[in-house]
Amino acid sequence: LLRLGAIVDDATPDEPPPRPGIAEHDLHVLFFTSGSTGRSKGVMLSHRVNYLRSHPGAQLEPRGATVCMYPLFHMGAWTIAMQAWQTQTTLVLVPRADAQLVCEAVERWKATHLNAIPAVWQRILDHLAHAGDGRRPDLSSLRLVDSGTSATPPELLAAIKAAVPGATRRVFYGSTEAGAVTLLRDEDMERKPGSCGVPHHSCEVRTDPDTGELLVRGPLLFNGYFDDPESTAAAFTPDGWFRTGDVAAVDDEGYLSIIGRVRDVIRSGGETVAPSEVEAALADHPALADVAVVGVPDPRWGEIVCAVVVLADGCAPPTLDDLLEHCGPRLAKFKRPRRVEVVDAIPRTPATNQVQRRLLIERITT
């Protein structure tokens, strides 16, 4: 325990202490990645990067309160808070991502902005559907409704539009390291189902010709990983493009779709399989409450596609033939599951709901 007198000399002049010089590229904040694939890394963001990520877009948006469902350790909450600071508007934080709390906050503050991950949007829609006429919250003040962090199904986007017809929908794709990389606008959602849009402001993108990995370059990128020069060097190509770790497909109009993670890609018999594509083909099977797809070692094929499923209430486990019949022509033969495993729950990251595939593989192979 130190007394103030032991720190500050009693004879110190009664003048304000000198302010340290701060340059725009100096470290502003340190965020830690979710660690879905290993040890968390500290992402260094400068004053300049945070300004560019939050200021330009916020100035062009409708003014009004924003309801934030993200925890403050998440990059989404930080960016939303910075945007509210830049525009001097109200930010409303809810203690947890509970549909009733979110809806009550929107109604009380007549919020114009709401950004939620797909899973929380589904909770909100379920809450609205089960609320009686006298208890249905009024969300008519919303003007911008955003989503991101994981794939947002077209049917969910359509349901959001029906629930808040006066709002403009947006879907963002990005990361702590790169900020908002792409944006799918409201007018493109029905004609580009499953897409995450086109490059956001200040972003250049390209795909690696060998792996399909999405690479990003521009002034919104992070400063590197804290005290980790090896990981920083590995995160960039020799010519300065950031490796997102995501495999992307680009259509003839330049719209991107994320089809998997580079490290999650399954290589079976010389062919490449994106787990998310197989998951999408299985997701609407009536016996399944949840599904994840992983590659497991196989002496003949190198890896085989394994569907790990959580059963819906009262349903019997589907056989492999059941799943293959359900996939039908939606999947090429080499992409179809060769094994099925039933588990009680799919391990996912708490903040972003991403499948923790490494943990899942360990669970079904040990």
Side-chain angles (χ1 to χ4, degrees):
L1 176 66
L2 294 177
R3 298 182 51 151
L4 184 61
I7 302 172
V8 181
D9 189 345
D10 292 337
T12 300
D14 189 17
E15 297 177 1
R19 294 178 62 89
I22 298 176
E24 61 180 332
H25 291 287
D26 286 346
L27 179 63
H28 185 204
V29 68
L30 190 66
F31 267 90
F32 286 86
T33 58
S34 63
S36 62
T37 56
R39 183 175 63 90
S40 292
K41 298 186 289 290
V43 178
M44 298 188 292
L45 301 175
S46 69
H47 290 265
R48 175 185 173 85
V49 164
N50 281 323
Y51 177 85
L52 292 177
R53 287 186 182 186
S54 61
H55 184 268
Q59 299 299 326
L60 301 175
E61 295 178 358
R63 291 183 62 80
T66 298
V67 172
C68 179
M69 53 125 288
Y70 296 98
L72 282 172
F73 63 78
H74 190 276
M75 192 68 227
W78 173 259
T79 304
I80 290 169
M82 288 290 293
Q83 288 177 328
W85 176 266
Q86 301 279 15
T87 55
Q88 298 183 28
T89 51
T90 302
L91 175 67
V92 183
L93 298 169
V94 292
R96 61 185 182 279
D98 175 84
Q100 182 173 339
L101 291 177
V102 171
C103 290
E104 287 175 351
V106 170
E107 185 171 29
R108 176 185 175 188
W109 293 92
K110 299 190 183 314
T112 55
H113 297 59
L114 175 60
N115 186 319
I117 63 174
V120 173
W121 270 118
Q122 188 60 60
R123 292 178 210 164
I124 292 171
L125 294 171
D126 292 342
H127 177 68
L128 294 175
H130 291 94
D133 292 339
R135 296 183 293 110
R136 185 180 176 89
D138 180 9
L139 307 184
S140 62
S141 61
L142 289 173
R143 292 294 174 265
L144 282 176
V145 289
D146 299 335
S147 190
T149 75
S150 60
T152 309
E155 57 271 19
L156 178 62
L157 291 170
I160 292 172
K161 185 67 173 178
V164 281
T168 297
R169 301 164 298 171
R170 301 183 299 183
V171 173
F172 290 93
Y173 159 77
S175 66
T176 305
E177 292 92 337
V181 175
T182 67
L183 166 64
L184 182 67
R185 294 179 173 85
D186 197 308
E187 58 268 26
D188 293 326
M189 289 181 182
E190 279 64 44
R191 73 183 191 93
K192 296 290 184 181
S195 171
C196 59
V198 294
H200 201 32
H201 78 84
S202 306
C203 280
E204 294 180 80
V205 303
R206 67 180 176 91
T207 55
D208 186 290
D210 297 321
T211 64
E213 182 177 14
L214 181 62
L215 308 176
V216 180
R217 185 170 68 179
L220 304 184
L221 293 180
F222 70 130
N223 293 37
Y225 294 115
F226 178 71
D227 199 25
D228 195 344
E230 293 82 8
S231 294
T232 300
F236 289 88
T237 65
D239 55 349
W241 292 77
F242 171 64
R243 304 179 187 272
T244 65
D246 289 318
V247 179
V250 186
D251 71 11
D252 55 3
E253 293 185 75
Y255 284 76
L256 287 89
S257 298
I258 304 301
I259 60 175
R261 294 285 292 172
V262 172
R263 60 176 59 91
D264 293 336
V265 164
I266 302 166
R267 291 179 172 83
S268 182
E271 300 286 357
T272 298
V273 181
S276 59
E277 185 179 1
V278 186
E279 289 165 355
L282 296 172
D284 57 350
H285 191 290
L288 306 185
D290 197 6
V291 59
V293 169
V294 296
V296 294
D298 181 80
R300 180 180 177 188
W301 300 99
E303 286 183 305
I304 59 172
V305 178
C306 177
V308 185
V309 303
V310 178
L311 301 180
D313 290 342
C315 291
T319 66
L320 183 58
D321 287 340
D322 291 334
L323 297 184
L324 295 178
E325 182 179 357
H326 182 78
C327 292
R330 289 184 287 179
L331 289 177
K333 186 175 180 180
F334 69 87
K335 297 180 180 180
R336 297 174 186 174
R338 295 175 182 268
R339 175 177 166 181
V340 59
E341 294 282 345
V342 178
V343 297
D344 293 331
I346 303 293
R348 297 179 182 272
T349 57
T352 58
N353 207 41
Q354 293 171 302
V355 175
Q356 294 178 303
R357 298 187 198 276
R358 180 176 56 81
L359 296 180
L360 198 54
I361 292 169
E362 289 176 0
R363 182 179 300 180
I364 65 175
T365 58
T366 55

